């Protein structure tokens, strides 16, 4: 587990009801790039005994930028409690998968009031978090905003 993963869990946990968990996920690919929520939902709808789950992909520390990317992400779990990810953009990336059920519950409970069921992603630098939101039509167009809290509502409604 990365140091940034431990730091992130420590910072996020006070804002969640359920315990954050690092889980082992098999990367399968086959889904649509930059479309993790639809990939996970499609799998849940089309495969027996499969549900979608959500949380975070904590990337390795980048020494060139002195940052760690923490991407909000959706993937799946089967009836045998095996996690798998069909999003091709996760293939081959050595990330820690952090399960965060509070994101799922918030998206479900507030579906009609939020722009997307995908919360913002984060950039960790020098112990501070910056929210990041990519334009799905132009993935290189990313908006950033410093945030003071990792509470769930902020992560869904920061812009």
């Amino acid at each position: 587990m990365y140091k940034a993963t431990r730091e992130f869990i420590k910072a996020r946990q006070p804002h969640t009801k359920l315990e954050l968990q690092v889980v082992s996920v098999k990367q399968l690919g086959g889904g649509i790039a930059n479309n993790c929520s639809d990939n996970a939902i499609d799998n849940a709808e089309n495969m027996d005994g499969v549900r979608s789950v959500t949380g975070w992909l904590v990337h390795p520390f980048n020494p060139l930028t002195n940052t760690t990317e923490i991407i909000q992400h959706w993937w799946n779990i089967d009836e045998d409690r095996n996690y798998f990810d069909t999003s091709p953009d996760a293939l081959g990336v050595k990330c820690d998968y952090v399960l965060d059920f509070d994101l799922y519950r918030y998206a479900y409970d507030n579906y009609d009031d939020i722009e997307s069921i995908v919360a913002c992603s984060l950039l960790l630098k020098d112990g501070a978090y910056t929210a990041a939101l990519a334009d799905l039509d132009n993935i290189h167009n990313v908006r950033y905003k410093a945030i003071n809290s990792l509470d769930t509502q902020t992560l869904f409604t920061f812009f």
Side-chain angles (χ1 to χ4, degrees), residues 76-110:
N76 295 98
I77 184 172
D78 68 20
E79 58 193 5
D80 295 322
R81 301 204 48 80
N82 297 307
Y83 295 95
F84 64 94
D85 188 354
T86 59
S87 292
D89 36 324
L91 272 175
V93 178
K94 299 291 184 193
C95 294
D96 287 338
Y97 280 78
V98 179
L99 196 59
D100 187 338
F101 283 111
D102 283 51
L103 294 176
Y104 184 95
R105 177 46 87 197
Y106 188 89
Y108 181 83
D109 289 346
N110 297 281

PDB file of all heavy atoms in Angstrom, residues 76-110:
ATOM      1  N   ASN A  76     -16.431  -3.301 -10.303  1.00  0.00           N
ATOM      2  CA  ASN A  76     -17.457  -4.297  -9.980  1.00  0.00           C
ATOM      3  C   ASN A  76     -16.997  -5.313  -8.947  1.00  0.00           C
ATOM      4  O   ASN A  76     -15.807  -5.514  -8.749  1.00  0.00           O
ATOM      5  CB  ASN A  76     -17.891  -5.059 -11.237  1.00  0.00           C
ATOM      6  CG  ASN A  76     -18.583  -4.164 -12.232  1.00  0.00           C
ATOM      7  OD1 ASN A  76     -17.954  -3.706 -13.177  1.00  0.00           O
ATOM      8  ND2 ASN A  76     -19.855  -3.904 -12.034  1.00  0.00           N
ATOM      9  N   ILE A  77     -17.997  -5.991  -8.358  1.00  0.00           N
ATOM     10  CA  ILE A  77     -17.774  -7.116  -7.458  1.00  0.00           C
ATOM     11  C   ILE A  77     -18.743  -8.220  -7.871  1.00  0.00           C
ATOM     12  O   ILE A  77     -19.896  -7.959  -8.212  1.00  0.00           O
ATOM     13  CB  ILE A  77     -17.976  -6.723  -5.978  1.00  0.00           C
ATOM     14  CG1 ILE A  77     -17.637  -7.891  -5.036  1.00  0.00           C
ATOM     15  CG2 ILE A  77     -19.374  -6.179  -5.729  1.00  0.00           C
ATOM     16  CD1 ILE A  77     -17.626  -7.517  -3.561  1.00  0.00           C
ATOM     17  N   ASP A  78     -18.250  -9.468  -7.863  1.00  0.00           N
ATOM     18  CA  ASP A  78     -19.137 -10.589  -8.192  1.00  0.00           C
ATOM     19  C   ASP A  78     -19.660 -11.241  -6.909  1.00  0.00           C
ATOM     20  O   ASP A  78     -19.294 -10.844  -5.800  1.00  0.00           O
ATOM     21  CB  ASP A  78     -18.452 -11.586  -9.135  1.00  0.00           C
ATOM     22  CG  ASP A  78     -17.296 -12.341  -8.517  1.00  0.00           C
ATOM     23  OD1 ASP A  78     -17.191 -12.421  -7.270  1.00  0.00           O
ATOM     24  OD2 ASP A  78     -16.473 -12.875  -9.288  1.00  0.00           O
ATOM     25  N   GLU A  79     -20.500 -12.239  -7.058  1.00  0.00           N
ATOM     26  CA  GLU A  79     -21.137 -12.877  -5.897  1.00  0.00           C
ATOM     27  C   GLU A  79     -20.149 -13.622  -5.001  1.00  0.00           C
ATOM     28  O   GLU A  79     -20.461 -13.920  -3.852  1.00  0.00           O
ATOM     29  CB  GLU A  79     -22.259 -13.803  -6.345  1.00  0.00           C
ATOM     30  CG  GLU A  79     -21.827 -14.886  -7.296  1.00  0.00           C
ATOM     31  CD  GLU A  79     -23.002 -15.585  -7.961  1.00  0.00           C
ATOM     32  OE1 GLU A  79     -24.142 -15.171  -7.761  1.00  0.00           O
ATOM     33  OE2 GLU A  79     -22.743 -16.552  -8.695  1.00  0.00           O
ATOM     34  N   ASP A  80     -18.954 -13.893  -5.507  1.00  0.00           N
ATOM     35  CA  ASP A  80     -17.913 -14.542  -4.701  1.00  0.00           C
ATOM     36  C   ASP A  80     -16.977 -13.514  -4.049  1.00  0.00           C
ATOM     37  O   ASP A  80     -15.926 -13.885  -3.536  1.00  0.00           O
ATOM     38  CB  ASP A  80     -17.101 -15.519  -5.557  1.00  0.00           C
ATOM     39  CG  ASP A  80     -17.943 -16.674  -6.059  1.00  0.00           C
ATOM     40  OD1 ASP A  80     -18.816 -17.153  -5.303  1.00  0.00           O
ATOM     41  OD2 ASP A  80     -17.734 -17.077  -7.222  1.00  0.00           O
ATOM     42  N   ARG A  81     -17.362 -12.251  -4.110  1.00  0.00           N
ATOM     43  CA  ARG A  81     -16.611 -11.124  -3.529  1.00  0.00           C
ATOM     44  C   ARG A  81     -15.272 -10.888  -4.231  1.00  0.00           C
ATOM     45  O   ARG A  81     -14.315 -10.429  -3.627  1.00  0.00           O
ATOM     46  CB  ARG A  81     -16.443 -11.269  -2.025  1.00  0.00           C
ATOM     47  CG  ARG A  81     -17.791 -11.358  -1.298  1.00  0.00           C
ATOM     48  CD  ARG A  81     -17.793 -10.964   0.136  1.00  0.00           C
ATOM     49  NE  ARG A  81     -17.168  -9.731   0.516  1.00  0.00           N
ATOM     50  CZ  ARG A  81     -17.710  -8.508   0.395  1.00  0.00           C
ATOM     51  NH1 ARG A  81     -18.893  -8.361  -0.130  1.00  0.00           N
ATOM     52  NH2 ARG A  81     -17.054  -7.449   0.813  1.00  0.00           N
ATOM     53  N   ASN A  82     -15.228 -11.196  -5.520  1.00  0.00           N
ATOM     54  CA  ASN A  82     -14.058 -10.892  -6.338  1.00  0.00           C
ATOM     55  C   ASN A  82     -14.304  -9.559  -7.029  1.00  0.00           C
ATOM     56  O   ASN A  82     -15.337  -9.370  -7.679  1.00  0.00           O
ATOM     57  CB  ASN A  82     -13.834 -11.966  -7.409  1.00  0.00           C
ATOM     58  CG  ASN A  82     -13.542 -13.306  -6.803  1.00  0.00           C
ATOM     59  OD1 ASN A  82     -12.648 -13.442  -5.970  1.00  0.00           O
ATOM     60  ND2 ASN A  82     -14.303 -14.316  -7.196  1.00  0.00           N
ATOM     61  N   TYR A  83     -13.359  -8.647  -6.912  1.00  0.00           N
ATOM     62  CA  TYR A  83     -13.475  -7.347  -7.558  1.00  0.00           C
ATOM     63  C   TYR A  83     -12.814  -7.398  -8.923  1.00  0.00           C
ATOM     64  O   TYR A  83     -11.757  -8.023  -9.095  1.00  0.00           O
ATOM     65  CB  TYR A  83     -12.791  -6.272  -6.706  1.00  0.00           C
ATOM     66  CG  TYR A  83     -13.453  -6.053  -5.371  1.00  0.00           C
ATOM     67  CD1 TYR A  83     -12.995  -6.699  -4.233  1.00  0.00           C
ATOM     68  CD2 TYR A  83     -14.546  -5.197  -5.250  1.00  0.00           C
ATOM     69  CE1 TYR A  83     -13.597  -6.497  -2.999  1.00  0.00           C
ATOM     70  CE2 TYR A  83     -15.158  -4.988  -4.021  1.00  0.00           C
ATOM     71  CZ  TYR A  83     -14.678  -5.636  -2.904  1.00  0.00           C
ATOM     72  OH  TYR A  83     -15.275  -5.438  -1.691  1.00  0.00           O
ATOM     73  N   PHE A  84     -13.436  -6.716  -9.895  1.00  0.00           N
ATOM     74  CA  PHE A  84     -12.830  -6.629 -11.220  1.00  0.00           C
ATOM     75  C   PHE A  84     -13.166  -5.287 -11.849  1.00  0.00           C
ATOM     76  O   PHE A  84     -14.140  -4.631 -11.493  1.00  0.00           O
ATOM     77  CB  PHE A  84     -13.265  -7.805 -12.116  1.00  0.00           C
ATOM     78  CG  PHE A  84     -14.732  -7.844 -12.441  1.00  0.00           C
ATOM     79  CD1 PHE A  84     -15.220  -7.273 -13.611  1.00  0.00           C
ATOM     80  CD2 PHE A  84     -15.629  -8.480 -11.589  1.00  0.00           C
ATOM     81  CE1 PHE A  84     -16.575  -7.324 -13.921  1.00  0.00           C
ATOM     82  CE2 PHE A  84     -16.987  -8.540 -11.892  1.00  0.00           C
ATOM     83  CZ  PHE A  84     -17.458  -7.955 -13.065  1.00  0.00           C
ATOM     84  N   ASP A  85     -12.313  -4.874 -12.775  1.00  0.00           N
ATOM     85  CA  ASP A  85     -12.425  -3.561 -13.411  1.00  0.00           C
ATOM     86  C   ASP A  85     -12.304  -3.739 -14.911  1.00  0.00           C
ATOM     87  O   ASP A  85     -11.313  -4.283 -15.402  1.00  0.00           O
ATOM     88  CB  ASP A  85     -11.303  -2.663 -12.877  1.00  0.00           C
ATOM     89  CG  ASP A  85     -11.427  -1.216 -13.308  1.00  0.00           C
ATOM     90  OD1 ASP A  85     -12.318  -0.880 -14.120  1.00  0.00           O
ATOM     91  OD2 ASP A  85     -10.611  -0.406 -12.826  1.00  0.00           O
ATOM     92  N   THR A  86     -13.315  -3.290 -15.650  1.00  0.00           N
ATOM     93  CA  THR A  86     -13.285  -3.412 -17.105  1.00  0.00           C
ATOM     94  C   THR A  86     -12.889  -2.108 -17.797  1.00  0.00           C
ATOM     95  O   THR A  86     -12.815  -2.067 -19.021  1.00  0.00           O
ATOM     96  CB  THR A  86     -14.648  -3.884 -17.650  1.00  0.00           C
ATOM     97  OG1 THR A  86     -15.656  -2.953 -17.263  1.00  0.00           O
ATOM     98  CG2 THR A  86     -14.989  -5.279 -17.151  1.00  0.00           C
ATOM     99  N   SER A  87     -12.625  -1.063 -17.047  1.00  0.00           N
ATOM    100  CA  SER A  87     -12.214   0.200 -17.666  1.00  0.00           C
ATOM    101  C   SER A  87     -10.788   0.065 -18.205  1.00  0.00           C
ATOM    102  O   SER A  87      -9.867  -0.247 -17.459  1.00  0.00           O
ATOM    103  CB  SER A  87     -12.266   1.340 -16.646  1.00  0.00           C
ATOM    104  OG  SER A  87     -13.613   1.593 -16.293  1.00  0.00           O
ATOM    105  N   PRO A  88     -10.611   0.301 -19.506  1.00  0.00           N
ATOM    106  CA  PRO A  88      -9.284   0.091 -20.099  1.00  0.00           C
ATOM    107  C   PRO A  88      -8.243   1.094 -19.619  1.00  0.00           C
ATOM    108  O   PRO A  88      -7.046   0.784 -19.625  1.00  0.00           O
ATOM    109  CB  PRO A  88      -9.540   0.240 -21.600  1.00  0.00           C
ATOM    110  CG  PRO A  88     -10.778   1.047 -21.699  1.00  0.00           C
ATOM    111  CD  PRO A  88     -11.601   0.704 -20.488  1.00  0.00           C
ATOM    112  N   ASP A  89      -8.664   2.286 -19.158  1.00  0.00           N
ATOM    113  CA  ASP A  89      -7.697   3.280 -18.712  1.00  0.00           C
ATOM    114  C   ASP A  89      -7.026   2.879 -17.400  1.00  0.00           C
ATOM    115  O   ASP A  89      -6.023   3.468 -17.011  1.00  0.00           O
ATOM    116  CB  ASP A  89      -8.327   4.681 -18.611  1.00  0.00           C
ATOM    117  CG  ASP A  89      -9.762   4.683 -18.137  1.00  0.00           C
ATOM    118  OD1 ASP A  89     -10.513   3.768 -18.483  1.00  0.00           O
ATOM    119  OD2 ASP A  89     -10.135   5.618 -17.414  1.00  0.00           O
ATOM    120  N   ALA A  90      -7.540   1.867 -16.718  1.00  0.00           N
ATOM    121  CA  ALA A  90      -6.909   1.377 -15.485  1.00  0.00           C
ATOM    122  C   ALA A  90      -5.942   0.228 -15.757  1.00  0.00           C
ATOM    123  O   ALA A  90      -5.154  -0.139 -14.892  1.00  0.00           O
ATOM    124  CB  ALA A  90      -7.983   0.919 -14.495  1.00  0.00           C
ATOM    125  N   LEU A  91      -5.984  -0.336 -16.952  1.00  0.00           N
ATOM    126  CA  LEU A  91      -5.149  -1.490 -17.287  1.00  0.00           C
ATOM    127  C   LEU A  91      -3.667  -1.181 -17.123  1.00  0.00           C
ATOM    128  O   LEU A  91      -3.166  -0.189 -17.645  1.00  0.00           O
ATOM    129  CB  LEU A  91      -5.385  -1.935 -18.729  1.00  0.00           C
ATOM    130  CG  LEU A  91      -6.507  -2.925 -18.971  1.00  0.00           C
ATOM    131  CD1 LEU A  91      -6.685  -3.179 -20.459  1.00  0.00           C
ATOM    132  CD2 LEU A  91      -6.281  -4.216 -18.232  1.00  0.00           C
ATOM    133  N   GLY A  92      -2.986  -2.029 -16.390  1.00  0.00           N
ATOM    134  CA  GLY A  92      -1.546  -1.917 -16.249  1.00  0.00           C
ATOM    135  C   GLY A  92      -1.071  -0.833 -15.297  1.00  0.00           C
ATOM    136  O   GLY A  92       0.114  -0.694 -15.065  1.00  0.00           O
ATOM    137  N   VAL A  93      -1.977  -0.055 -14.752  1.00  0.00           N
ATOM    138  CA  VAL A  93      -1.604   0.993 -13.809  1.00  0.00           C
ATOM    139  C   VAL A  93      -1.560   0.378 -12.415  1.00  0.00           C
ATOM    140  O   VAL A  93      -2.515  -0.259 -11.978  1.00  0.00           O
ATOM    141  CB  VAL A  93      -2.620   2.162 -13.862  1.00  0.00           C
ATOM    142  CG1 VAL A  93      -2.250   3.233 -12.853  1.00  0.00           C
ATOM    143  CG2 VAL A  93      -2.697   2.745 -15.260  1.00  0.00           C
ATOM    144  N   LYS A  94      -0.449   0.522 -11.728  1.00  0.00           N
ATOM    145  CA  LYS A  94      -0.283  -0.058 -10.385  1.00  0.00           C
ATOM    146  C   LYS A  94      -0.849   0.908  -9.350  1.00  0.00           C
ATOM    147  O   LYS A  94      -0.126   1.690  -8.752  1.00  0.00           O
ATOM    148  CB  LYS A  94       1.185  -0.347 -10.110  1.00  0.00           C
ATOM    149  CG  LYS A  94       1.805  -1.331 -11.069  1.00  0.00           C
ATOM    150  CD  LYS A  94       1.229  -2.711 -10.861  1.00  0.00           C
ATOM    151  CE  LYS A  94       1.925  -3.697 -11.771  1.00  0.00           C
ATOM    152  NZ  LYS A  94       1.263  -4.946 -11.857  1.00  0.00           N
ATOM    153  N   CYS A  95      -2.149   0.863  -9.159  1.00  0.00           N
ATOM    154  CA  CYS A  95      -2.839   1.738  -8.218  1.00  0.00           C
ATOM    155  C   CYS A  95      -3.352   0.932  -7.040  1.00  0.00           C
ATOM    156  O   CYS A  95      -3.596  -0.269  -7.161  1.00  0.00           O
ATOM    157  CB  CYS A  95      -4.042   2.404  -8.883  1.00  0.00           C
ATOM    158  SG  CYS A  95      -3.624   3.540 -10.200  1.00  0.00           S
ATOM    159  N   ASP A  96      -3.559   1.620  -5.921  1.00  0.00           N
ATOM    160  CA  ASP A  96      -4.301   1.042  -4.807  1.00  0.00           C
ATOM    161  C   ASP A  96      -5.769   1.362  -5.035  1.00  0.00           C
ATOM    162  O   ASP A  96      -6.131   2.517  -5.275  1.00  0.00           O
ATOM    163  CB  ASP A  96      -3.854   1.654  -3.475  1.00  0.00           C
ATOM    164  CG  ASP A  96      -2.486   1.184  -3.020  1.00  0.00           C
ATOM    165  OD1 ASP A  96      -2.034   0.117  -3.465  1.00  0.00           O
ATOM    166  OD2 ASP A  96      -1.878   1.893  -2.193  1.00  0.00           O
ATOM    167  N   TYR A  97      -6.618   0.340  -4.976  1.00  0.00           N
ATOM    168  CA  TYR A  97      -8.065   0.534  -5.071  1.00  0.00           C
ATOM    169  C   TYR A  97      -8.602   0.680  -3.650  1.00  0.00           C
ATOM    170  O   TYR A  97      -8.433  -0.214  -2.826  1.00  0.00           O
ATOM    171  CB  TYR A  97      -8.724  -0.676  -5.720  1.00  0.00           C
ATOM    172  CG  TYR A  97      -8.639  -0.733  -7.231  1.00  0.00           C
ATOM    173  CD1 TYR A  97      -7.470  -1.131  -7.878  1.00  0.00           C
ATOM    174  CD2 TYR A  97      -9.753  -0.426  -8.017  1.00  0.00           C
ATOM    175  CE1 TYR A  97      -7.406  -1.217  -9.258  1.00  0.00           C
ATOM    176  CE2 TYR A  97      -9.698  -0.509  -9.407  1.00  0.00           C
ATOM    177  CZ  TYR A  97      -8.523  -0.901 -10.012  1.00  0.00           C
ATOM    178  OH  TYR A  97      -8.464  -0.982 -11.376  1.00  0.00           O
ATOM    179  N   VAL A  98      -9.253   1.805  -3.368  1.00  0.00           N
ATOM    180  CA  VAL A  98      -9.822   2.070  -2.051  1.00  0.00           C
ATOM    181  C   VAL A  98     -11.341   2.112  -2.186  1.00  0.00           C
ATOM    182  O   VAL A  98     -11.891   2.987  -2.858  1.00  0.00           O
ATOM    183  CB  VAL A  98      -9.304   3.400  -1.466  1.00  0.00           C
ATOM    184  CG1 VAL A  98      -9.932   3.661  -0.099  1.00  0.00           C
ATOM    185  CG2 VAL A  98      -7.781   3.386  -1.369  1.00  0.00           C
ATOM    186  N   LEU A  99     -12.002   1.149  -1.571  1.00  0.00           N
ATOM    187  CA  LEU A  99     -13.453   1.054  -1.609  1.00  0.00           C
ATOM    188  C   LEU A  99     -14.057   2.099  -0.670  1.00  0.00           C
ATOM    189  O   LEU A  99     -13.647   2.222   0.479  1.00  0.00           O
ATOM    190  CB  LEU A  99     -13.859  -0.347  -1.160  1.00  0.00           C
ATOM    191  CG  LEU A  99     -15.264  -0.828  -1.442  1.00  0.00           C
ATOM    192  CD1 LEU A  99     -15.564  -0.819  -2.931  1.00  0.00           C
ATOM    193  CD2 LEU A  99     -15.420  -2.239  -0.890  1.00  0.00           C
ATOM    194  N   ASP A 100     -15.030   2.871  -1.176  1.00  0.00           N
ATOM    195  CA  ASP A 100     -15.648   3.948  -0.405  1.00  0.00           C
ATOM    196  C   ASP A 100     -17.166   3.881  -0.618  1.00  0.00           C
ATOM    197  O   ASP A 100     -17.705   4.488  -1.539  1.00  0.00           O
ATOM    198  CB  ASP A 100     -15.081   5.289  -0.853  1.00  0.00           C
ATOM    199  CG  ASP A 100     -15.521   6.468  -0.015  1.00  0.00           C
ATOM    200  OD1 ASP A 100     -16.570   6.372   0.651  1.00  0.00           O
ATOM    201  OD2 ASP A 100     -14.820   7.497  -0.034  1.00  0.00           O
ATOM    202  N   PHE A 101     -17.854   3.120   0.254  1.00  0.00           N
ATOM    203  CA  PHE A 101     -19.293   2.925   0.103  1.00  0.00           C
ATOM    204  C   PHE A 101     -20.084   4.219   0.277  1.00  0.00           C
ATOM    205  O   PHE A 101     -21.201   4.336  -0.217  1.00  0.00           O
ATOM    206  CB  PHE A 101     -19.803   1.880   1.097  1.00  0.00           C
ATOM    207  CG  PHE A 101     -19.499   0.467   0.688  1.00  0.00           C
ATOM    208  CD1 PHE A 101     -18.576  -0.280   1.393  1.00  0.00           C
ATOM    209  CD2 PHE A 101     -20.126  -0.111  -0.407  1.00  0.00           C
ATOM    210  CE1 PHE A 101     -18.290  -1.587   1.021  1.00  0.00           C
ATOM    211  CE2 PHE A 101     -19.851  -1.411  -0.791  1.00  0.00           C
ATOM    212  CZ  PHE A 101     -18.923  -2.151  -0.072  1.00  0.00           C
ATOM    213  N   ASP A 102     -19.538   5.186   0.984  1.00  0.00           N
ATOM    214  CA  ASP A 102     -20.266   6.442   1.177  1.00  0.00           C
ATOM    215  C   ASP A 102     -20.465   7.187  -0.139  1.00  0.00           C
ATOM    216  O   ASP A 102     -21.470   7.872  -0.312  1.00  0.00           O
ATOM    217  CB  ASP A 102     -19.557   7.322   2.206  1.00  0.00           C
ATOM    218  CG  ASP A 102     -19.811   6.846   3.618  1.00  0.00           C
ATOM    219  OD1 ASP A 102     -19.611   5.647   3.883  1.00  0.00           O
ATOM    220  OD2 ASP A 102     -20.235   7.667   4.451  1.00  0.00           O
ATOM    221  N   LEU A 103     -19.530   7.070  -1.067  1.00  0.00           N
ATOM    222  CA  LEU A 103     -19.710   7.679  -2.384  1.00  0.00           C
ATOM    223  C   LEU A 103     -20.893   7.055  -3.104  1.00  0.00           C
ATOM    224  O   LEU A 103     -21.708   7.744  -3.714  1.00  0.00           O
ATOM    225  CB  LEU A 103     -18.448   7.513  -3.236  1.00  0.00           C
ATOM    226  CG  LEU A 103     -17.188   8.226  -2.780  1.00  0.00           C
ATOM    227  CD1 LEU A 103     -16.032   7.863  -3.700  1.00  0.00           C
ATOM    228  CD2 LEU A 103     -17.383   9.721  -2.715  1.00  0.00           C
ATOM    229  N   TYR A 104     -20.984   5.738  -3.026  1.00  0.00           N
ATOM    230  CA  TYR A 104     -22.090   5.017  -3.666  1.00  0.00           C
ATOM    231  C   TYR A 104     -23.424   5.470  -3.077  1.00  0.00           C
ATOM    232  O   TYR A 104     -24.367   5.784  -3.794  1.00  0.00           O
ATOM    233  CB  TYR A 104     -21.908   3.511  -3.479  1.00  0.00           C
ATOM    234  CG  TYR A 104     -22.939   2.672  -4.194  1.00  0.00           C
ATOM    235  CD1 TYR A 104     -22.677   2.162  -5.453  1.00  0.00           C
ATOM    236  CD2 TYR A 104     -24.189   2.410  -3.622  1.00  0.00           C
ATOM    237  CE1 TYR A 104     -23.610   1.388  -6.126  1.00  0.00           C
ATOM    238  CE2 TYR A 104     -25.128   1.646  -4.292  1.00  0.00           C
ATOM    239  CZ  TYR A 104     -24.841   1.142  -5.542  1.00  0.00           C
ATOM    240  OH  TYR A 104     -25.775   0.402  -6.207  1.00  0.00           O
ATOM    241  N   ARG A 105     -23.502   5.500  -1.754  1.00  0.00           N
ATOM    242  CA  ARG A 105     -24.746   5.876  -1.075  1.00  0.00           C
ATOM    243  C   ARG A 105     -25.135   7.317  -1.410  1.00  0.00           C
ATOM    244  O   ARG A 105     -26.292   7.606  -1.677  1.00  0.00           O
ATOM    245  CB  ARG A 105     -24.573   5.690   0.438  1.00  0.00           C
ATOM    246  CG  ARG A 105     -25.756   6.117   1.273  1.00  0.00           C
ATOM    247  CD  ARG A 105     -27.086   5.645   0.765  1.00  0.00           C
ATOM    248  NE  ARG A 105     -27.450   4.349   1.227  1.00  0.00           N
ATOM    249  CZ  ARG A 105     -28.400   3.609   0.649  1.00  0.00           C
ATOM    250  NH1 ARG A 105     -29.022   4.014  -0.411  1.00  0.00           N
ATOM    251  NH2 ARG A 105     -28.722   2.450   1.123  1.00  0.00           N
ATOM    252  N   TYR A 106     -24.171   8.224  -1.417  1.00  0.00           N
ATOM    253  CA  TYR A 106     -24.471   9.619  -1.732  1.00  0.00           C
ATOM    254  C   TYR A 106     -24.979   9.749  -3.171  1.00  0.00           C
ATOM    255  O   TYR A 106     -25.969  10.440  -3.420  1.00  0.00           O
ATOM    256  CB  TYR A 106     -23.230  10.503  -1.532  1.00  0.00           C
ATOM    257  CG  TYR A 106     -23.546  11.969  -1.663  1.00  0.00           C
ATOM    258  CD1 TYR A 106     -23.949  12.709  -0.557  1.00  0.00           C
ATOM    259  CD2 TYR A 106     -23.470  12.613  -2.893  1.00  0.00           C
ATOM    260  CE1 TYR A 106     -24.255  14.053  -0.672  1.00  0.00           C
ATOM    261  CE2 TYR A 106     -23.782  13.951  -3.019  1.00  0.00           C
ATOM    262  CZ  TYR A 106     -24.172  14.669  -1.904  1.00  0.00           C
ATOM    263  OH  TYR A 106     -24.489  15.995  -2.037  1.00  0.00           O
ATOM    264  N   ALA A 107     -24.321   9.080  -4.107  1.00  0.00           N
ATOM    265  CA  ALA A 107     -24.756   9.134  -5.503  1.00  0.00           C
ATOM    266  C   ALA A 107     -26.168   8.567  -5.655  1.00  0.00           C
ATOM    267  O   ALA A 107     -26.995   9.126  -6.379  1.00  0.00           O
ATOM    268  CB  ALA A 107     -23.779   8.383  -6.397  1.00  0.00           C
ATOM    269  N   TYR A 108     -26.450   7.482  -4.980  1.00  0.00           N
ATOM    270  CA  TYR A 108     -27.778   6.859  -5.029  1.00  0.00           C
ATOM    271  C   TYR A 108     -28.837   7.772  -4.422  1.00  0.00           C
ATOM    272  O   TYR A 108     -29.890   7.997  -5.013  1.00  0.00           O
ATOM    273  CB  TYR A 108     -27.723   5.518  -4.295  1.00  0.00           C
ATOM    274  CG  TYR A 108     -29.038   4.769  -4.294  1.00  0.00           C
ATOM    275  CD1 TYR A 108     -29.411   3.993  -5.383  1.00  0.00           C
ATOM    276  CD2 TYR A 108     -29.899   4.839  -3.203  1.00  0.00           C
ATOM    277  CE1 TYR A 108     -30.612   3.306  -5.397  1.00  0.00           C
ATOM    278  CE2 TYR A 108     -31.103   4.162  -3.200  1.00  0.00           C
ATOM    279  CZ  TYR A 108     -31.453   3.397  -4.295  1.00  0.00           C
ATOM    280  OH  TYR A 108     -32.651   2.724  -4.302  1.00  0.00           O
ATOM    281  N   ASP A 109     -28.555   8.311  -3.231  1.00  0.00           N
ATOM    282  CA  ASP A 109     -29.532   9.146  -2.529  1.00  0.00           C
ATOM    283  C   ASP A 109     -29.761  10.500  -3.184  1.00  0.00           C
ATOM    284  O   ASP A 109     -30.818  11.100  -3.015  1.00  0.00           O
ATOM    285  CB  ASP A 109     -29.098   9.382  -1.075  1.00  0.00           C
ATOM    286  CG  ASP A 109     -29.211   8.140  -0.216  1.00  0.00           C
ATOM    287  OD1 ASP A 109     -29.870   7.164  -0.640  1.00  0.00           O
ATOM    288  OD2 ASP A 109     -28.613   8.143   0.884  1.00  0.00           O
ATOM    289  N   ASN A 110     -28.778  11.003  -3.917  1.00  0.00           N
ATOM    290  CA  ASN A 110     -28.852  12.353  -4.485  1.00  0.00           C
ATOM    291  C   ASN A 110     -28.808  12.360  -6.003  1.00  0.00           C
ATOM    292  O   ASN A 110     -28.495  13.385  -6.609  1.00  0.00           O
ATOM    293  CB  ASN A 110     -27.697  13.196  -3.930  1.00  0.00           C
ATOM    294  CG  ASN A 110     -27.800  13.362  -2.447  1.00  0.00           C
ATOM    295  OD1 ASN A 110     -28.577  14.177  -1.955  1.00  0.00           O
ATOM    296  ND2 ASN A 110     -27.041  12.572  -1.700  1.00  0.00           N
TER     297      ASN A 110
END
